[in-house]
Amino acid sequence: MVSSIEQFETTENMNNAHIPARKLPQYVAALAATGGALAAGTLLGWTSPTESLIVDKNGTEAKEYGFVVGDEAWSWVGSSTTLGAAIMCLFIGTIINLCGRKLTMLLLVIPFTIGWALVIWASNIAMLIVGRTLLGISGGSFCICAPMYIGEIAQKDIRGTLGTFFQLMLTIGILFVYAVGSGASVFVLSIVCGCIPIIFAVIFVFMPESPYYWVSKKQTEKAVASLKWLRGDNYDYNTELQELQSEHEERENSKISFAAAFARRTSVKALIIMLGLMFFQQMSGINAVIFYTGFIFDRANTGIQGSIATIIVGVMQVIATFVSSIIVDKLGRRILLLISVSVMALCTIVLGIYFYLSDQGNPNIDSLGWLPIVAMCVFIVVFSLGFGPIPWLMVGEIFPADVKGLASSICGAFNWALAFVITKTFTNIREAIGIGETFWLFSAFSVVGTVFVFFVVPETKGKSLSDIQKMLAGEKPINNDSDNHGVMDAKL
């Protein structure tokens, strides 16, 4: 009798081992997590539809807020978000490991809500700037928390697809605020944006914590419960649980000091590559374009309202980001980066020429009102195909496991700090040298970025993490099915 029961249990376990994991719960959890990306997108796009309703160019008239907001004050409103994000990126990794991925993202709703409350009921410029800074702290943190959470809950065969959800939802958030802002007051728009983090919290509270986090805290039962929620009750979780435990033990055993980690040639090369990509991503002028899209199209005299133009740009960005998620593993990283940065250089050259001729009072400029909108849309499309998502994708590929957490924080902080510099100085630069010359400055950086990608950035498509490290070390990888040009072989 006993042997029959044992035989039945053995047979039942063997049957369960062949039951595939359910993928729908993983999609649900990933989409729920990207609600934070939707919220982050709204705060990034908020300045574009609201500028004309808030800012008085002469600095004398109090508009919708009831107090005067000039160009200089507005530059601080726009850039304070990126400054808050840059600061928080340095600390969020530690907070995630202490509190967990899920709890950290839920706690971020608090500064999100306070930030929007300050923006909604601002009675002076200081409240507006502090509110935007708090929003940047939350939005910047989500840019690290959500991709990490998604990467840890997803199975290997759908991890890439789920990983693209964050950037896609970010662009949808920007489009959403463009669309609502085209017909709503600043007060109504801000309330709508402030509701999104709260809705996110209500949904995400029902999602599981990352199984890897529970393993790292040695809470096996909770890790099993999380795996069952994500994969289904009949899923044989033992193999995956053992893999997670082995991965955690390997990370713990491979911990080394900061100095030792970055003394390695591969770590230094990876850091140079990623900081370079982050630098040229921001110096292309993308955040100036997103934050000041309404101004650019109003200034261009296209005959199209700035609010409509921003919606067009937002739609193009969403479509291009979606296309990028489909083709990035087919065409490769380098070719998309090269196409992206070189075409961006051409677009900003064209924009520079248009605005330069406009400032010179060229009589033929009125017939070229279509030119800025075409150039701007192409710029957004190629950025979203390449230099938008790929640098963030490569952060997870190019760094060794023992420095990935710290290196990701450094790259994130560097990226947001550059975004702060661009958004803060865009208004000052355009007033000092002219808007046409400002776009030419962005073009120059994109040209240099093209050279950087061609000679420095390796192709990581189709390569394992170990093969990528061998490439960086100057060794020939086992998987040699893709172009390896661009790897720095010279001694650093």
Side-chain angles (χ1 to χ4, degrees):
M1 184 69 170
V2 173
S3 60
S4 298
I5 294 175
E6 290 178 345
Q7 184 178 5
F8 172 78
E9 290 178 344
T10 302
T11 305
E12 184 69 17
N13 289 336
M14 290 177 65
N15 290 336
N16 285 344
H18 291 88
I19 295 175
R22 295 182 61 203
K23 295 181 179 178
L24 179 60
Q26 299 173 60
Y27 278 89
V28 170
L31 284 171
T34 56
L38 183 69
T42 61
L43 72 93
L44 288 175
W46 181 86
T47 54
S48 186
T50 58
E51 180 178 8
S52 61
L53 303 174
I54 297 173
V55 180
D56 176 54
K57 301 301 179 183
N58 297 320
T60 57
E61 180 186 352
K63 302 182 82 171
E64 187 160 330
Y65 268 112
F67 55 86
V68 177
V69 181
D71 281 337
E72 178 62 22
W74 186 249
S75 71
W76 279 105
V77 172
S79 61
S80 56
T81 297
T82 55
L83 182 61
I87 294 171
M88 195 60 185
C89 277
L90 297 173
F91 307 102
I92 191 62
T94 302
I95 298 173
I96 291 172
N97 290 331
L98 287 175
C99 300
R101 286 64 165 144
K102 177 181 176 179
L103 180 58
T104 299
M105 285 192 279
L106 290 174
L107 289 174
L108 288 173
V109 175
I110 297 173
F112 242 135
T113 304
I114 296 173
W116 278 119
L118 290 172
V119 169
I120 292 166
W121 290 289
S123 59
N124 53 62
I125 194 66
M127 286 181 66
L128 205 52
I129 292 174
V130 171
R132 292 279 296 171
T133 303
L134 287 173
L135 291 174
I137 287 173
S138 299
S141 298
F142 264 111
C143 289
I144 293 178
C145 295
M148 179 181 292
Y149 174 82
I150 293 170
E152 291 177 356
I153 67 166
Q155 288 179 275
K156 294 177 182 178
D157 57 336
I158 60 172
R159 186 173 295 157
T161 300
L162 298 188
T164 63
F165 284 5
F166 183 85
Q167 184 72 18
L168 183 61
M169 289 294 282
L170 192 72
T171 58
I172 291 174
I174 294 172
L175 173 60
F176 174 80
V177 81
Y178 285 173
V180 176
S182 66
S185 65
V186 175
F187 181 76
V188 171
L189 175 63
S190 301
I191 288 179
V192 171
C193 292
C195 290
I196 293 176
I198 298 173
I199 295 171
F200 156 77
V202 171
I203 296 173
F204 191 66
V205 73
F206 296 102
M207 300 300 113
E209 175 58 272
S210 156
Y212 179 81
Y213 172 75
W214 289 131
V215 167
S216 71
K217 297 301 179 182
K218 303 188 185 308
Q219 299 193 38
T220 306
E221 291 184 3
K222 291 183 177 180
V224 169
S226 179
L227 284 171
K228 285 186 174 182
W229 194 103
L230 292 163
R231 312 287 192 260
D233 290 334
N234 296 323
Y235 173 70
D236 181 18
Y237 57 81
N238 289 303
T239 301
E240 187 170 356
L241 182 63
Q242 290 173 3
E243 289 178 357
L244 290 173
Q245 291 171 334
S246 299
E247 181 182 349
H248 174 65
E249 290 174 4
E250 183 180 347
R251 288 188 182 183
E252 289 295 305
N253 295 332
S254 64
K255 280 186 175 179
I256 57 177
S257 67
F258 173 85
F262 284 97
R264 293 193 307 244
R265 184 182 179 213
T266 54
S267 298
V268 173
K269 290 172 75 171
L271 190 62
I272 290 174
I273 290 167
M274 290 316 308
L275 290 181
L277 288 178
M278 296 299 181
F279 177 83
F280 291 112
Q281 182 195 69
Q282 290 300 327
M283 298 310 289
S284 69
I286 181 60
N287 270 303
V289 170
I290 291 176
F291 279 38
Y292 300 103
T293 300
F295 162 81
I296 291 170
F297 280 97
D298 285 338
R299 177 72 170 75
N301 294 318
T302 59
I304 300 175
Q305 290 182 351
S307 58
I308 302 300
T310 56
I311 294 174
I312 294 172
V313 168
V315 170
M316 300 298 291
Q317 191 174 21
V318 170
I319 294 173
T321 303
F322 176 74
V323 172
S324 176
S325 69
I326 297 173
I327 65 176
V328 67
D329 281 326
K330 295 186 173 84
L331 295 182
R333 282 61 160 153
R334 287 188 76 244
I335 186 64
L336 288 175
L337 287 171
L338 286 169
I339 292 172
S340 177
V341 70
S342 57
V343 176
M344 283 193 298
L346 292 175
C347 290
T348 45
I349 287 173
V350 170
L351 285 167
I353 292 173
Y354 177 88
F355 285 114
Y356 177 80
L357 293 175
S358 177
D359 287 341
Q360 298 299 312
N362 191 299
N364 297 320
I365 202 67
D366 291 338
S367 63
L368 297 175
W370 54 271
L371 189 60
I373 196 166
V374 172
M376 191 69 67
C377 287
V378 173
F379 180 96
I380 290 293
V381 166
V382 295
F383 176 86
S384 300
L385 282 174
F387 250 90
I390 291 177
W392 296 107
L393 170 66
M394 291 185 68
V395 165
E397 295 180 325
I398 205 167
F399 286 111
D402 55 356
V403 301
K404 187 174 293 185
L406 177 60
S408 298
S409 295
I410 293 173
C411 290
F414 182 69
N415 185 283
W416 283 108
L418 285 172
F420 166 73
V421 172
I422 294 299
T423 53
K424 175 64 186 73
T425 60
F426 176 74
T427 300
N428 306 97
I429 294 174
R430 83 182 188 212
E431 290 178 352
I433 65 175
I435 188 170
E437 290 82 352
T438 302
F439 278 114
W440 286 337
L441 182 62
F442 291 145
S443 299
F445 281 113
S446 293
V447 170
V448 177
T450 304
V451 176
F452 176 83
V453 172
F454 186 82
F455 287 104
V456 177
V457 178
E459 177 58 76
T460 58
K461 183 198 77 167
K463 290 180 171 55
S464 67
L465 298 180
S466 61
D467 280 347
I468 293 171
Q469 293 307 305
K470 289 178 181 178
M471 260 201 319
L472 295 175
E475 302 174 16
K476 186 177 181 180
I478 296 173
N479 185 354
N480 197 32
D481 63 348
S482 56
D483 183 15
N484 292 331
H485 294 302
V487 181
M488 294 183 299
D489 292 323
K491 295 290 183 181
L492 295 173

